[in-house]
Amino acid sequence: MLESIKHPNDILELRMNRPPVNAMDPGLVAQLRDGVSQAPKQGARALVLSGREGLFSAGLDLTALLALDARQLRTFFNDFFGMLRVVAASEIPVAAAITGHSPAGGAVLSCFCDWRVMAAGSYRFGFNEVAVSLIVPTPVRVAITRMAGAEVSERLSVEARMMDPEEALRLNLVHEIAPVAEVVGRARAWCERLLAQPTRATQTMRRTARADLVQAFDGLDDEAEIITDLWFSEEGQAVMRNMLEQLKKRAK
């Protein structure tokens, strides 16, 4: 589900490969957490997170998660938060190569990377959790606020609006737009620029500058409970099952 690709200058690419849409289930979340946390121990000096051309990640795997009971779902969301925290706290730089569509969980994952390069074209990016009867978790809103400001963070979280790459760039949610075939290369180029700097000073500065992002994950047990309650509410179940049916029809 997660491919490791070594590039020059000790840059490691972790490419999501879970057909058909790189949806995040417990297995992929665990692999992302372990892949990011183990990378420095394996000699990587920088990371690139990517997907296939045309698709970064479609977010959470509704089919897999709808099969879980409340306890299992709380565990999943705590694990999901834990994976995002590992990305935020990574001791080496992490660039997101957003290789295509990136709704919900895909956009969320990119938020905790240091640098975001998105594919140009008719791709969608955004935080549509409210549209599926969930909430945008506190650490994600902190990340959006750091990038785009408090008022924009509120609007994006409440309105569940998806956007094209140009708007994501204008709002500072991504740093670059590139042709889809060049996205990984541009993400690697950013890593190389950072690695050309003095290592110890860069690591110290990153750790200090990103401390608030890491601290946003403290005390999320109540939030996992809120999300679980929304998930199992009558409205939440109806919305998600309807969305699942729509996805099945599109796949035919």
Side-chain angles (χ1 to χ4, degrees), residues 1 37 39 78 97 108 124 139 149 191 204 209 222-224 228 238:
M1 287 190 291
S37 63
N78 281 323
V108 165
R124 310 302 286 172
C191 292
T204 301
D222 289 344
E223 199 135 345
T228 301

Side-chain angles (χ1 to χ4, degrees), residues 18 22 39 117 250:
R18 184 172 184 261
N22 288 340
V117 184
R250 291 177 197 168

Side-chain angles (χ1 to χ4, degrees), residues 22 60 72 130 148 162 172 181 199 217 235:
N22 288 340
L60 301 183
Q72 292 168 327
V130 169
M162 303 301 291
N172 202 41
T199 301
F217 287 94
E235 179 183 56

Side-chain angles (χ1 to χ4, degrees), residues 179-209:
V180 65
E182 299 177 15
V183 170
V184 171
R186 295 277 279 272
R188 288 172 51 199
W190 177 83
C191 292
E192 288 168 354
R193 292 198 299 272
L194 214 63
L195 293 177
Q197 300 179 163
T199 301
R200 186 173 178 182
T202 301
Q203 289 177 340
T204 301
M205 192 67 257
R206 281 187 67 254
R207 187 166 55 249
T208 301

Side-chain angles (χ1 to χ4, degrees), residues 159-171:
E159 295 172 4
R161 180 169 52 82
M162 303 301 291
M163 65 200 82
D164 59 25
E166 288 74 17
E167 184 175 7
L169 179 66
R170 179 174 60 81
L171 294 177

Side-chain angles (χ1 to χ4, degrees), residues 97-250:
I98 306 170
T99 46
H101 293 298
S102 186
V108 165
L109 174 60
S110 74
C111 284
F112 296 96
C113 299
D114 299 62
W115 193 256
R116 291 166 292 283
V117 184
M118 186 169 182
S122 56
Y123 301 118
R124 310 302 286 172
F125 179 99
F127 311 92
N128 62 339
E129 281 79 1
V130 169
V132 294
S133 198
L134 297 176
I135 60 170
V136 178
T138 296
V140 183
R141 287 186 283 107
V142 168
I144 302 171
T145 299
R146 290 173 96 246
M147 295 183 289
E151 203 270 338
V152 171
S153 175
E154 178 186 345
R155 294 275 61 81
L156 293 177
S157 300
V158 173
E159 295 172 4
R161 180 169 52 82
M162 303 301 291
M163 65 200 82
D164 59 25
E166 288 74 17
E167 184 175 7
L169 179 66
R170 179 174 60 81
L171 294 177
N172 202 41
L173 298 170
V174 302
H175 298 98
E176 299 180 61
I177 296 174
V180 65
E182 299 177 15
V183 170
V184 171
R186 295 277 279 272
R188 288 172 51 199
W190 177 83
C191 292
E192 288 168 354
R193 292 198 299 272
L194 214 63
L195 293 177
Q197 300 179 163
T199 301
R200 186 173 178 182
T202 301
Q203 289 177 340
T204 301
M205 192 67 257
R206 281 187 67 254
R207 187 166 55 249
T208 301
R210 294 171 66 80
D212 62 323
L213 195 57
V214 177
Q215 290 167 3
F217 287 94
D218 294 344
L220 284 180
D221 288 345
D222 289 344
E223 199 135 345
E225 188 70 34
I226 291 169
I227 293 171
T228 301
D229 288 344
L230 287 169
W231 182 279
F232 283 103
S233 69
E234 183 177 348
E235 179 183 56
Q237 289 287 294
V239 168
M240 281 179 283
R241 293 188 185 280
N242 179 65
M243 177 172 285
L244 195 58
E245 286 301 314
Q246 295 301 317
L247 291 173
K248 288 178 180 178
K249 289 177 182 178
R250 291 177 197 168

